[in-house]
């Protein structure tokens, strides 16, 4: 090879002329080595399975190899089959020949068959080439065998068919290897089987010839494989050069990219050769440039393009987003060369239709605006749980972003929290527009739509209705001919009505009106209106449900609060109750007239909101009523109330402990207009405020007991001496405490409001709420202002009675004189009887000192006080009893009577209505 390359180099040098370059033998050899390495590298690349050529090479080699292996396997199987068949035929032939040989049957009847048959069997075995010939009797006992020690033993094999007169062949694993044996019967002239002959031969002895041919077959297969591999390598090397060593995945991807560029890319792509000829133009380029069908191979100047565009494409210069007018399209052209990084010479240009981009940009902006509006609807509609406010938020959101006017009509039942009925009219709940003088139905007007009106169709079908031209919408005109004409004349020309649906329930209808934009509403805007109303319907339905629940809770709580204040003369009272925005709670107040012209004031607060808190408040208020009837001091009453709340917690808490424990606070005060003393006790409640007659404000020190329900801790009282005209202010924590202010700051602000309040309780309530009521109260507020009065001294009669029955007469006389002074002569007789009985009981059963007091208030109050703690009991005396009728007479003559205990004893009191 070196010499041949050398000669070739010499010949080329001679043809080159006088300038020649001589190469040394070492250089020529190095050149040959490089060429051989190049061919070897190409072969390695062809064999490499990652490229298409490599995979084709491996596939063809694998196919040839499989064919060779299949041929060899088939030959081996055929040889084995032929060997087995030959063994069967030979063993059967030898066995039958020996069984039918002369003298075989006769030898079986001799005394020693082995002596006769063993030599014959061995001679026949050697002559025929079988491995054994065994003669046996019908029991399978051998008479002959190649190994004499096996004679006389039982034959191993199947004998039953042979005993029946048939020939048996089978393959068994014998002591000499895998063999085929045949068993044939020896029959007497009558057909009786008198003996058996078995001949067998191993398959190795039969298939020896075929095994000797196997190496030749394998050699031929190897030669065929080598020839096929060489031819395949040459073909693969050729394919490797054509595919540039790419694998199937890369070639498939290149084809897909090429197909996408040609048919799917929404940008024009045109490729020119180095000579400026068009090599490729995709479908989009054909459409944008309107290229002729035979454009391939032509110059850019011959494609019928505008001069500036043709010059740019023919020049091959670099361009970035150059705008060229091609017919009615503005095309943005980008152009780059293709010979970057060793690529082929030429250039490629991309074309983009900026006209369509502007249209797409407009559609994208419209879609973005719609999404923004839907987003704003999600966060801007339903900010409050008020049905009317939520409907107005929907109308204001739609104008002017979607429509020029928007109206919301709801059923009256929805506004009150109920479920609507389709037969009832609707009420205009919300209205928003770009102008205020549109001739649409005004707010709060009740509307009964006719059956042909778009709104009525939406309410009945539950589907949105589009009226693109109101001037021709006859069904809409039938609603109100005069108003419809005014609406059309005003410029409103298109309408969309969408039902407000909450599940299967229709709450009302929303109408969108268009006037300024000349185009009517279209199907896309109809879908947007449906989506917008669907989102708003959820908020309106939530507000409806809240309104219903809130109304129920407020109704329950207001029914549990005192509707009117009881008649009494000790205090001038004004009250306020304001439920929280999020729902009613458990705040309450009460005014309870007591015996002796006294009045009890109560303010309480149950923790939490809703029906449970309101119901608990009702129970506590009832309990306070019952306990106050016992004339208990404030601290004892709170102790009983605390015990009751604890029992409620135990009774209402289930086994799993999931029910919330009730928490409540309470302030209880008793004012006595005779002594002008006020006894106050509180259980976890804010302290009362006191406004002195001079206008100064203070918060008296009242011991703060624990909230109700904790148990185990006593309550303490505070006695306040209140001048006449003082105002006692009781309130719940919602007035002085919220999320933005703590209670200390709230008390300071309450003090400032009270200092500026007017003199009456009503003025005080108004000033406090104006100064302290938040715009959206988060908690209930209960407020009670009581201005004190004092019972005049001339309406009080009080004296001590000696513990002597004779003093009863003096008591009657003094009572008569005092009633005459008060102008109550009509009550003299009954009052004398009542006090006579009470004083007599005190003298008999009570202890000194004994005092009598009469109060001329809205009733005539008579009281007898003694130091005994024994309480009298009313009983009905029998006809034969000498006593026991005194209290019965007292109860019959007075309107009310009772007993209250004091630290010094007890007081029996009665009340008689004034004439």
């Amino acid at each position: 090879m070196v010499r041949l390359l050398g000669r070739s180099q010499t010949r080329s040098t001679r043809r080159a002329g006088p300038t020649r370059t001589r190469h040394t033998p070492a250089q020529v050899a190095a050149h040959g080595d490089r060429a051989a390495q190049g061919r070897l590298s190409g072969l390695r690349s062809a064999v490499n399975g990652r490229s298409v050529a490599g995979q084709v090479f491996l596939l063809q080699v694998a196919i040839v190899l499989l064919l060779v292996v299949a041929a060899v396997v088939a030959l081996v199987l055929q040889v084995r089959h032929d060997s087995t068949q030959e063994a069967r035929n030979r063993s059967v032939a030898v066995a039958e020949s020996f069984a039918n040989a002369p003298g075989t049957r006769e030898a079986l009847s001799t005394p020693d068959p082995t002596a006769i048959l063993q030599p014959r069997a061995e001679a026949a075995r050697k002559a025929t080439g079988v491995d054994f010939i065994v003669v046996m009797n019908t029991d399978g006992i051998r008479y002959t065998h190649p190994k004499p020690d096996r004679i006389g033993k039982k034959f191993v094999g199947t004998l039953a068919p042979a005993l029946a007169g048939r020939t048996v062949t089978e393959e068994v694993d014998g002591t000499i290897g895998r063999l085929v044996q045949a068993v044939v019967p020896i029959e007497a002239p009558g057909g009786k089987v008198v003996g058996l002959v078995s001949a067998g031969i191993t398959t190795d002895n039969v298939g020896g010839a075929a095994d000797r041919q196997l190496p030749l077959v394998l050699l031929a297969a190897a030669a065929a494989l080598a020839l096929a591999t060489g031819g395949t390598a040459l073909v693969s090397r050729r394919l490797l050069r054509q595919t540039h060593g790419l694998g199937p995945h890369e070639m498939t991807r290149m084809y897909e990219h090429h197909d996408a560029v040609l048919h799917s890319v929404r940008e024009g792509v045109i490729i020119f050769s180095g000579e400026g000829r068009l090599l490729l133009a995709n479908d989009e380029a054909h459409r944008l440039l309107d290229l002729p069908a035979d454009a391939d191979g032509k110059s850019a100047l011959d494609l019928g393009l505008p001069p500036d565009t043709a010059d740019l494409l023919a020049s091959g210069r670099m361009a970035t987003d150059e705008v060229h007018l091609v017919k009615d399209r503005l095309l943005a052209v980008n152009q780059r060369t293709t010979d970057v990084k060793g690529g082929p010479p030429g250039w490629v240009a991309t074309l983009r239709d900026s006209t369509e981009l502007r249209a797409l940009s407009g559609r994208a902006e419209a879609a973005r605006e719609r999404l923004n509006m839907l987003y704003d609807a999600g966060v801007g509609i339903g900010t409050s749980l008020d049905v009317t406010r939520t409907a107005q938020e929907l109308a204001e959101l739609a104008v002017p972003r979607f429509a020029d006017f928007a109206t919301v009509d709801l059923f009256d039942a929805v506004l009150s929290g109920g479920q609507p009925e389709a037969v009832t009219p609707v009420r205009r709940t919300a209205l928003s527009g770009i102008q205020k003088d549109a001739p649409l139905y005004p707010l709060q007007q009740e509307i009964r739509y006719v059956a042909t009106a778009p709104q009525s169709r939406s309410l009945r079908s539950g589907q949105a209705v589009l009226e693109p031209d109101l001037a021709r919408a006859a069904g809409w005109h039938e609603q109100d001919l005069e108003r419809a004409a005014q609406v059309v004349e005003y410029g409103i020309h298109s309408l969309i009505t969408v039902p407000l649906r909450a599940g299967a329930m229709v709450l009302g209808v929303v109408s969108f009106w268009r006037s300024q934009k000349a185009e009517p509403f279209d199907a896309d805007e109809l879908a947007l209106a449906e989506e917008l109303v669907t989102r708003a319907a959820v908020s309106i339905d939530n507000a409806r449900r809240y309104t219903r629940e809130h109304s129920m809770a407020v109704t329950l709580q207001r029914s549990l609060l005192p509707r009117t204040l009881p008649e009494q003369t000790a205090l001038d009272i004004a009250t306020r109750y304001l439920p929280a925005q999020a729902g009613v709670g458990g705040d309450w107040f009460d005014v309870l007239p007591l015996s002796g012209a006294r009045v009890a004031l109560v303010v309480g607060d149950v923790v939490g909101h809703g029906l449970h808190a309101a119901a608990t408040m009702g129970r506590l208020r009832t309990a306070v009523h019952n306990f106050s009837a016992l004339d208990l001091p404030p601290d004892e009453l709170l102790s009983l109330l605390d015990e009751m709340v604890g029992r409620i917690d135990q009774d209402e808490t289930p086994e799993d402990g999931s029910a919330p424990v009730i928490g409540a606070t309470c302030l209880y005060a008793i004012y006595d207009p005779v002594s002008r003393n006020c006894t106050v006790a509180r259980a976890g409640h804010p302290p009362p405020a006191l406004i002195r007659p001079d206008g100064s404000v203070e918060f008296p020190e009242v011991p703060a007991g624990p909230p109700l329900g904790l148990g185990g801790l006593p309550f303490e009282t505070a006695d306040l001496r209140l001048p006449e005209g003082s105002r006692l202010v009781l309130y719940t924590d919602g007035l002085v405490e919220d999320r933005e202010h703590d209670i200390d700051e709230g008390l300071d602000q309450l003090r400032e409001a009270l200092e500026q309040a007017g003199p009456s309780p009503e003025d005080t309530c108004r000033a406090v709420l104006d100064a302290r009521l938040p715009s959206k109260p988060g908690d209930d507020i209960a407020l009670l202002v009581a201005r004190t009065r004092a019972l005049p001294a001339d309406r009080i009669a009080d004296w001590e009675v000696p513990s002597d029955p004779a003093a009863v007469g003096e008591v009657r006389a003094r009572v008569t004189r005092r009633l005459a002074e008060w102008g109550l002569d009509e009550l003299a007789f009954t009052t004398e009887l009542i006090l006579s009985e009470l004083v007599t009981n005190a003298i008999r059963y009570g202890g000194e000192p004994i005092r009598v007091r009469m109060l001329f208030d809205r009733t005539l109050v008579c009281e007898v006080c003694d130091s005994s703690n024994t309480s009298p009991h009313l009983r009905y005396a029998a006809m034969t009893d000498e006593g026991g009728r005194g209290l019965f007479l007292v109860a019959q003559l007075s309107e009310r009577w009772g007993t209250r205990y004091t630290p010094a004893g007890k007081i029996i009191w009665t009340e008689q209505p004034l004439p």
Side-chain angles (χ1 to χ4, degrees):
M1 179 184 292
V2 175
R3 288 194 297 271
L4 180 59
L5 288 174
R7 288 194 296 268
S8 176
Q9 290 285 347
T10 302
R11 286 195 296 269
S12 62
T13 302
R14 290 172 182 170
R15 287 194 299 268
T19 302
R20 294 178 295 180
T21 302
R22 291 189 174 274
H23 298 279
T24 63
Q27 290 175 331
V28 174
H31 178 74
D33 291 341
R34 285 194 296 271
Q37 291 176 358
R39 289 192 295 272
L40 182 59
S41 176
L43 181 59
R44 291 196 188 100
S45 299
V47 175
N48 188 353
R50 288 191 297 271
S51 64
V52 172
Q55 293 189 8
V56 169
F57 172 78
L58 294 177
L59 178 61
Q60 291 186 359
V61 170
I63 291 174
V64 173
L65 183 59
L66 288 176
L67 291 175
V68 171
V69 171
V72 173
V73 170
L75 178 61
V76 171
L77 294 178
Q78 184 63 38
V79 168
R80 290 185 177 181
H81 177 268
D82 293 345
S83 299
T84 303
Q85 191 62 35
E86 176 65 21
R88 289 176 181 270
N89 295 338
R90 187 183 300 183
S91 61
V92 170
V94 172
E96 288 180 347
S97 298
F98 194 87
N100 296 326
T104 301
R105 184 176 65 252
E106 291 77 5
L108 293 176
S109 60
T110 62
D112 189 6
T114 300
I116 299 173
L117 296 177
Q118 177 68 10
R120 294 181 184 180
E122 286 300 304
R125 179 181 67 81
K126 294 177 180 178
T128 58
V130 298
D131 290 309
F132 66 87
I133 296 176
V134 175
V135 182
M136 66 197 86
N137 61 13
T138 55
D139 293 330
I141 303 301
R142 298 188 185 100
Y143 291 143
T144 65
H145 197 277
K147 296 181 179 180
D149 59 339
R150 303 294 175 88
I151 297 173
K153 295 182 179 180
K154 189 172 181 63
F155 177 77
V156 179
T158 303
L159 301 180
L163 294 175
R166 297 192 302 272
T167 301
V168 181
T169 60
E170 59 183 344
E171 293 186 30
V172 298
D173 291 325
T175 57
I176 59 176
R178 185 71 176 175
L179 55 85
V180 177
Q181 64 183 12
V183 180
V184 300
I186 303 174
E187 298 179 350
K192 180 181 179 182
V193 178
V194 297
L196 303 173
V197 177
S198 175
I201 185 172
T202 60
T203 55
D204 293 339
N205 292 338
V206 178
D211 293 340
R212 290 189 293 272
Q213 295 176 357
L214 186 59
L216 181 60
V217 174
L218 294 177
L219 182 60
L225 180 61
L227 290 175
T229 303
T232 302
L234 294 176
V235 174
S236 299
R237 183 180 180 187
R238 174 76 175 180
L239 183 60
L240 181 67
R241 289 197 298 269
Q242 296 295 328
T243 59
H244 300 284
L246 295 177
H249 178 69
E250 288 83 359
M251 292 189 67
T252 301
R253 186 172 59 183
M254 287 183 63
Y255 173 78
E256 291 173 349
H257 292 175
H258 181 269
D259 188 76
V261 170
L262 283 179
H263 307 296
S264 302
V265 173
R266 295 295 295 169
E267 259 192 18
V269 178
I270 50 179
I271 301 176
F272 292 91
S273 66
E275 293 79 18
R277 300 292 178 181
L278 179 62
L279 297 179
L280 181 142
N282 68 349
D283 295 347
E284 187 68 6
H286 276 275
R287 186 182 71 84
L288 295 177
L289 298 177
D290 196 13
L291 297 177
D294 58 347
D296 290 349
K298 291 185 177 182
S299 172
L301 301 175
D302 300 331
L303 298 178
L305 301 175
D308 58 337
T309 306
D311 290 342
L312 172 62
L313 298 178
S315 66
R317 65 178 175 85
M318 186 185 314
T320 301
D321 288 336
E322 287 192 13
V323 180
H324 291 262
L325 179 62
V326 180
K327 295 186 178 180
D328 59 344
R329 295 187 179 94
L330 286 175
L331 302 182
V333 183
N334 289 274
Q335 189 164 268
R336 298 290 187 274
T337 59
T338 58
D339 56 357
V340 181
K341 296 183 180 180
W347 56 90
V348 60
T350 59
L351 313 170
R352 187 173 64 255
D353 190 351
S354 60
T355 306
E356 293 188 0
L357 287 178
R358 284 198 296 271
L360 288 174
S361 177
R363 290 196 293 270
E365 180 63 24
R368 186 184 65 82
E369 174 60 25
R370 292 180 181 183
L371 289 176
N372 287 340
M373 186 166 61
L374 292 176
Y375 172 77
D376 292 342
V379 299
I381 298 177
T383 57
S384 66
L385 291 173
D386 181 79
V387 176
T388 302
R389 178 56 190 161
T390 305
Q392 187 64 34
E393 289 171 348
L394 169 60
E396 292 175 354
L397 177 72
V399 177
R401 300 169 67 176
F402 178 69
D404 298 322
F405 299 91
T407 59
V408 181
D409 304 326
L410 300 177
F411 293 104
D412 284 335
V414 175
L415 297 174
S416 59
Q419 293 188 355
E421 298 179 3
V423 296
T424 59
V426 295
R427 187 173 300 278
R428 175 110 334 147
T429 308
L431 170 63
S432 180
I434 56 176
Q435 295 177 350
K436 302 298 183 182
D437 57 346
L440 301 173
Y441 286 119
L443 283 173
Q444 301 304 320
Q445 179 166 340
E446 186 180 272
I447 307 171
R448 188 179 296 274
Y449 287 109
V450 299
T452 57
Q455 291 86 350
S456 180
R457 284 184 282 160
S458 292
L459 290 173
R460 288 198 312 271
S461 64
Q463 303 295 326
V465 175
L466 170 61
E467 288 288 355
D469 190 357
L470 288 179
R472 300 182 180 180
W476 174 70
H477 282 270
E478 293 179 6
Q479 171 66 32
D480 188 336
L481 294 176
E482 181 180 357
R483 188 178 295 274
Q486 294 174 356
V487 170
V488 173
E489 183 180 358
Y490 187 81
I492 299 176
H493 59 82
S494 186
L495 167 67
I496 290 178
T497 62
V498 185
L500 271 163
R501 298 184 58 183
M505 183 169 52
V506 178
L507 308 177
V509 63
V510 182
S511 302
F512 301 100
W513 314 78
R514 174 169 287 177
S515 62
Q516 286 193 340
K517 190 175 180 180
E519 295 81 6
F521 287 116
D522 55 22
D524 290 340
E525 290 169 321
L526 178 65
L528 176 60
E530 289 180 320
E531 179 67 21
L532 183 63
V533 173
T534 298
R535 298 194 178 196
V538 176
S539 298
I540 292 178
D541 186 52
N542 289 339
R544 178 190 69 85
R545 294 172 182 270
Y546 170 78
T547 300
R548 179 185 62 190
E549 299 295 334
H550 187 265
S551 299
M552 292 173 57
V554 169
T555 301
L556 172 63
Q557 186 169 37
R558 290 194 182 278
S559 66
L560 296 175
L561 292 173
R563 299 184 181 182
T564 58
L565 297 178
E567 295 182 2
Q568 47 83 33
T569 58
L571 298 168
D572 290 331
I573 297 177
T575 60
R576 294 290 189 277
Y577 169 73
L578 299 174
Q581 184 190 30
V584 298
D587 293 13
W588 91 94
F589 60 86
D590 224 331
V591 178
L592 306 173
L594 302 177
S595 63
R598 298 170 305 135
V599 177
L601 303 177
V602 189
V603 175
D605 183 6
V606 176
V607 176
H609 297 84
L611 296 177
H612 180 72
T616 303
M617 177 270 290
R619 299 170 70 176
L620 295 180
R621 180 169 178 256
T622 302
V624 171
H625 270 261
N626 296 332
F627 294 151
S628 65
L630 302 176
D631 265 333
L632 298 175
D635 55 340
E636 295 184 18
L637 185 142
L638 291 181
S639 297
L640 293 176
L641 202 62
D642 176 67
E643 183 180 354
M644 189 199 77
V645 172
R647 287 199 303 270
I648 292 177
D649 286 343
Q650 295 177 0
D651 295 341
E652 296 191 355
T653 301
E655 294 181 358
D656 58 359
S658 59
V661 176
I662 296 174
T665 64
C666 183
L667 185 147
Y668 190 82
I670 297 178
Y671 173 69
D672 188 351
V674 177
S675 63
R676 301 192 303 277
N677 187 65
C678 183
T679 304
V680 185
R682 61 187 179 116
H685 203 81
L690 179 61
I691 307 176
R692 297 286 183 180
D694 59 359
S696 61
V697 179
E698 62 178 287
F699 293 94
E701 290 292 336
V702 178
L708 299 176
L710 295 182
L713 297 177
F715 297 96
E716 300 180 24
T717 60
D719 291 326
L720 308 178
R721 185 76 173 178
L722 303 181
E724 186 174 7
S726 301
R727 281 167 288 167
L728 191 64
V729 181
L730 309 182
Y731 52 89
T732 56
D733 59 355
L735 184 67
V736 296
E737 189 176 11
D738 53 34
R739 296 180 179 179
E740 299 179 358
H741 307 87
D742 58 17
I743 190 170
D744 292 334
E745 185 177 356
L747 291 176
D748 291 339
Q749 294 177 0
L750 177 61
R751 182 194 300 271
E752 296 176 1
L754 293 176
E755 289 174 348
Q756 300 174 4
S760 69
E762 285 291 339
D763 293 339
T764 305
C765 288
R766 190 179 304 110
V768 169
L769 294 182
D770 289 343
R772 289 294 303 149
L773 181 64
S775 58
K776 297 180 179 180
D779 194 5
D780 289 15
I781 295 177
L783 176 64
L784 188 150
V785 178
R787 184 173 59 186
T788 61
R789 294 177 180 176
L791 192 64
D794 58 354
R795 288 184 171 234
I796 303 172
D798 186 7
W799 62 90
E800 187 172 347
V801 178
S803 183
D804 183 3
V808 176
E810 179 63 24
V811 170
R812 288 198 297 267
R814 299 185 67 171
V815 168
T816 301
R817 290 193 299 272
R818 180 52 62 97
L819 292 178
E821 294 175 4
W822 290 342
L824 301 177
D825 296 312
E826 297 180 13
L827 299 178
F829 178 71
T830 57
T831 306
E832 287 180 8
L833 289 178
I834 291 172
L835 285 179
S836 296
E837 180 62 31
L838 295 181
V839 170
T840 300
N841 285 341
I843 293 173
R844 288 181 178 178
Y845 308 110
E848 295 183 337
I850 300 173
R851 298 191 64 83
V852 173
R853 188 172 73 165
M854 297 174 57
L855 304 177
F856 179 20
D857 194 24
R858 61 185 181 86
T859 61
L860 178 62
V861 180
C862 299
E863 297 178 345
V864 176
C865 172
D866 66 78
S867 60
S868 172
N869 290 325
T870 303
S871 175
H873 296 283
L874 178 66
R875 66 185 181 89
Y876 296 95
M879 295 294 295
T880 58
D881 290 344
E882 296 183 359
R885 297 179 180 84
L887 283 181
F888 180 77
L889 291 175
V890 171
Q892 293 296 317
L893 295 175
S894 62
E895 184 179 45
R896 291 196 311 156
W897 76 280
T899 304
R900 73 172 181 269
Y901 294 92
T902 65
K906 68 177 184 296
I907 299 175
I908 309 298
W909 57 268
T910 64
E911 290 185 3
Q912 301 176 72
L914 299 179

